[in-house]
Amino acid sequence: MLSSVCVVVACLLPLASAGIWGAPARRATPKAGASAFVGSTTSFAFPPPSATNAGSAFSTFFPDASEVGFPGPTPTGDEAAEIVTATSVPKVSGAFPLLNPSTFGNKSTAFDVTRLWGNLAPMFSVDSFGLPDANELIPAGCDLQQVHLVHRHGARYPTTGAPPSALAAKLHNATVNGTGFTATGDLEFLNTWTYKLGAELLTPFGRQQLYDLGASFRVKYGALLKNFTDLPVFRTTSENRMVASALNFAAGFFGIPDYQTDYQQVISIENPGFNNSLAPFDTCNNSNNAIGNFGAVQEAKWVAIYLQDATKRLNSMIKGVTFEVSDVFGMQQTCAYETVALGFSAFCDLFTQEEWEGYEYANDLSFWYGEGPGSPTTSAQGIGYVQELIARLTQTPLTEFNSTVNSTIVSSNVTFPLSQPIFVDATHDVVIANIVTAMNFTSLAKNGPLPTDHIPKGQTYVTSQISPFASRFVGQVLSCSSSSSQPTHIRWILNDAVLPMTGIQGCKEDKNGLCELDAFISGMKTRIGETDYAFDCLANYTIPNPDLIIDGRFPANLRNQTI
């Protein structure tokens, strides 16, 4: 017997109208005007709450594999070390099973729109950040000793109150509280469109991204597991999508069901008032006021420019509703969110390639001035992870707590071990942007500050290359000495492209992105010393006008002035 649960603003269709075996049937387009349910929220809860074959009473009917027995031969092979043994490594491109949308007026062009979605883009391998001859493979003459991974969660629904839900509410209000509307042409689908996105949670594609990341990380770095004497300890935060991402990563890395027993998961509280280096915004007050909102202000200036033509074009296809540029921007966001959640979105085809390039730059502005080199709070927020990184690299416990580091967690060698061969930390897009700024990878910031009235040539700060869904930031600790097996060098790889280390004090130019480990540690200690968390995150100030910041810190020469 089939079961279905309908949770909607207004129940849209009777179950009898569904297709065969409960498959959703296509709704016929109304002859005139939008249906009353347009823009209403639809959702589906699974598993069925009234399932009659669920619960412990049925466990005897469905024993697990250990109870059934007869597993067949199970000889274990050796660990993989692709990053050491291979001659090349595969790159992430495409986003199966998502459908890559076309663009308005140019539907036959093979153009990857998904790469222009900023922080909503599915992760793809970046070609280069300025070191075209470098790749993930361990350089000749070096041996891998340790790896540090900071990864973002996978694709998710929009955050609560994001532009897509505001767009849905506007359309729904027009049909329920207004005179209705009629959409034609490329907007005709709006006459029967409903809002199927939840909020905050991982999508099925997002779960796949993290499972795939875990499996690929095991193939690349699994040999380092041979150097563990205790179970690995990985970290994430308490938000649902963060825990789900960490567990899906672990399932890919350790396998199912082994991930339930083969490692320990630290879940740090993510909530206002709790120190958390993986969610530093919760205790950095200035990231939650007008200073933190400055990225949105700068983004809005550009949105008002690049979406003028699109707004006029789309308004010519609808009667009864007038779209503002913010609504049209919400349509572009809806395209991205619907695609990573549902696999396809009719909103994507509404925009030209140029308009999608404008959308990408809008995200770059938001991150540059809100979470990147142009924000005075960025280094302060990212410096907590840097402090933890130096503690791990030097195997020296932290004793000074003057940032977002949680002293309870890091003061225990159980929850914060210092000598692991593999470290894995799950975090958010904005935090990865904070960390790379705090570490002073200046190659990403060399064309800033970013203008708000045009896209500059030679763009170097591209959000989709820094913090897409399932972004990965990897530090390889290496021994490049023939006379010693001790770690001598380190380098960093962001979304599969090696980062130049020339912005870090003491690190020299190197075609492979290598920096001597002692020099890197010294350079990071310098960054820690010059980052004033108390001022940048907690002091009462305004952003300089114009904002010429390029290192994520409030200018030292202005700290004693009234801005």
Side-chain angles (χ1 to χ4, degrees):
M1 179 177 179
L2 295 175
S3 176
S4 181
V5 178
C6 180
V7 183
V8 295
V9 172
C11 199
L12 307 183
L13 293 173
L15 291 177
S17 68
I20 297 174
W21 301 112
R26 291 183 177 273
R27 297 191 183 92
T29 302
K31 294 181 179 179
S35 299
F37 57 73
V38 167
S40 61
T41 299
T42 66
S43 63
F44 178 79
F46 191 87
S50 57
T52 59
N53 61 345
S56 58
F58 287 86
S59 61
T60 56
F61 292 92
F62 307 103
D64 63 28
S66 64
E67 295 172 301
V68 172
F70 304 99
T74 58
T76 300
D78 203 353
E79 281 293 340
E82 182 187 41
I83 215 73
V84 176
T85 60
T87 56
S88 63
V89 288
K91 298 296 185 181
V92 180
S93 57
F96 179 84
L98 309 183
L99 182 65
N100 179 29
S102 55
T103 57
F104 178 77
N106 201 14
K107 298 182 184 297
S108 63
T109 299
F111 175 67
D112 195 344
V113 176
T114 67
R115 293 196 175 196
L116 300 180
W117 289 347
N119 64 317
L120 305 184
M123 182 270 169
F124 59 90
S125 295
V126 177
D127 292 331
S128 174
F129 286 115
L131 296 174
D133 297 326
N135 58 43
E136 290 181 275
L137 297 179
I138 303 304
C142 296
D143 294 317
L144 179 67
Q145 301 292 325
Q146 187 182 66
V147 66
H148 299 255
L149 169 65
V150 182
H151 71 79
R152 187 191 175 192
H153 58 74
R156 57 163 171 77
Y157 288 132
T159 50
T160 303
S165 61
L167 173 67
K170 180 170 184 171
L171 294 173
H172 188 60
N173 287 337
T175 60
V176 174
N177 301 318
T179 57
F181 67 84
T182 301
T184 58
D186 290 327
L187 280 183
E188 189 175 9
F189 74 92
L190 283 183
N191 291 321
T192 55
W193 175 72
T194 57
Y195 187 67
K196 297 179 177 65
L197 303 176
E200 315 283 351
L201 303 179
L202 282 188
T203 68
F205 173 68
R207 298 196 294 269
Q208 173 192 311
Q209 285 185 293
L210 267 297
Y211 183 90
D212 289 349
L213 174 58
S216 67
F217 206 72
R218 180 70 175 260
V219 171
K220 293 177 180 178
Y221 297 101
L224 287 175
L225 289 173
K226 298 177 181 181
N227 299 330
F228 276 91
T229 56
D230 288 318
L231 292 180
V233 177
F234 297 165
R235 294 193 304 171
T236 189
T237 79
S238 61
E239 276 200 341
N240 183 286
R241 65 180 179 271
M242 296 298 304
V243 174
S245 292
L247 294 181
N248 276 280
F249 174 89
F253 187 81
F254 294 106
I256 299 173
D258 299 332
Y259 81 98
Q260 299 179 61
T261 57
D262 287 4
Y263 87 116
Q264 301 290 2
Q265 185 70 64
V266 172
I267 303 175
S268 54
I269 295 174
E270 181 176 337
N271 204 54
F274 288 86
N275 270 6
N276 190 335
S277 61
L278 303 178
F281 39 78
D282 279 330
T283 50
C284 180
N285 295 346
N286 287 335
S287 71
N288 300 297
N289 56 25
I291 297 170
N293 192 54
F294 190 59
V297 172
Q298 298 295 79
E299 174 189 72
K301 295 176 183 178
W302 171 239
V303 170
I305 295 172
Y306 86 89
L307 283 179
Q308 283 186 13
D309 290 345
T311 303
K312 293 177 183 177
R313 184 174 68 246
L314 295 174
N315 274 322
S316 72
M317 302 177 191
I318 194 166
K319 294 181 180 179
V321 170
T322 300
F323 294 128
E324 307 296 333
V325 289
S326 58
D327 300 318
V328 178
F329 184 72
M331 291 182 186
Q332 289 189 294
Q333 274 201 0
T334 304
C335 156
Y337 278 122
E338 284 191 337
T339 301
V340 299
L342 309 174
F344 169 79
S345 174
F347 285 96
C348 298
D349 293 352
L350 300 177
F351 302 96
T352 66
Q353 178 175 333
E354 183 180 6
E355 287 159 356
W356 279 119
E357 290 168 350
Y359 178 80
E360 176 184 49
Y361 188 63
N363 281 274
D364 298 340
L365 285 169
S366 176
F367 266 69
W368 175 277
Y369 289 105
E371 311 296 343
S375 168
T377 70
T378 297
S379 287
Q381 292 185 77
I383 210 66
Y385 173 79
V386 178
Q387 291 173 314
E388 294 170 341
L389 171 66
I390 297 307
R392 290 166 168 173
L393 290 174
T394 61
Q395 297 188 31
T396 304
L398 285 169
T399 57
E400 184 177 9
F401 302 101
N402 55 2
S403 65
T404 60
V405 172
N406 188 297
S407 60
T408 301
I409 291 175
V410 304
S411 295
S412 168
N413 193 49
V414 175
T415 52
F416 192 74
L418 297 174
S419 57
Q420 295 188 150
I422 300 173
F423 292 96
V424 178
D425 295 307
T427 188
H428 298 273
D429 51 356
V430 297
V431 183
I432 292 178
N434 295 163
I435 291 171
V436 297
T437 302
M439 292 174 68
N440 207 33
F441 288 104
T442 54
S443 62
L444 300 176
K446 66 182 180 182
N447 79 321
L450 301 185
T452 58
D453 59 351
H454 69 280
I455 302 175
K457 294 181 180 181
Q459 175 76 344
T460 59
Y461 192 86
V462 182
T463 307
S464 61
Q465 298 180 5
I466 298 171
S467 299
F469 284 131
S471 175
R472 65 285 311 261
F473 179 51
V474 177
Q476 297 176 339
V477 180
L478 310 170
S479 173
C480 303
S481 171
S482 59
S483 60
S484 173
S485 61
Q486 294 300 306
T488 60
H489 289 77
I490 191 170
R491 66 176 187 160
W492 290 89
I493 300 164
L494 181 59
N495 295 320
D496 298 345
V498 180
L499 285 162
M501 303 268 270
T502 49
I504 299 170
Q505 183 174 314
C507 292
K508 303 173 184 177
E509 288 190 29
D510 184 89
K511 66 178 183 179
N512 290 310
L514 293 170
C515 180
E516 293 182 358
L517 185 58
D518 289 344
F520 175 81
I521 291 171
S522 176
M524 289 301 100
K525 287 182 177 179
T526 297
R527 286 293 286 177
I528 292 169
E530 66 189 15
T531 300
D532 190 339
Y533 175 85
F535 186 93
D536 291 353
C537 272
L538 306 176
N540 182 18
Y541 61 85
T542 57
I543 292 178
N545 185 17
D547 180 357
L548 302 179
I549 299 171
I550 58 171
D551 63 354
R553 300 182 299 139
F554 191 86
N557 64 312
L558 299 180
R559 295 189 181 191
N560 294 323
Q561 300 178 23
T562 301
I563 306 302

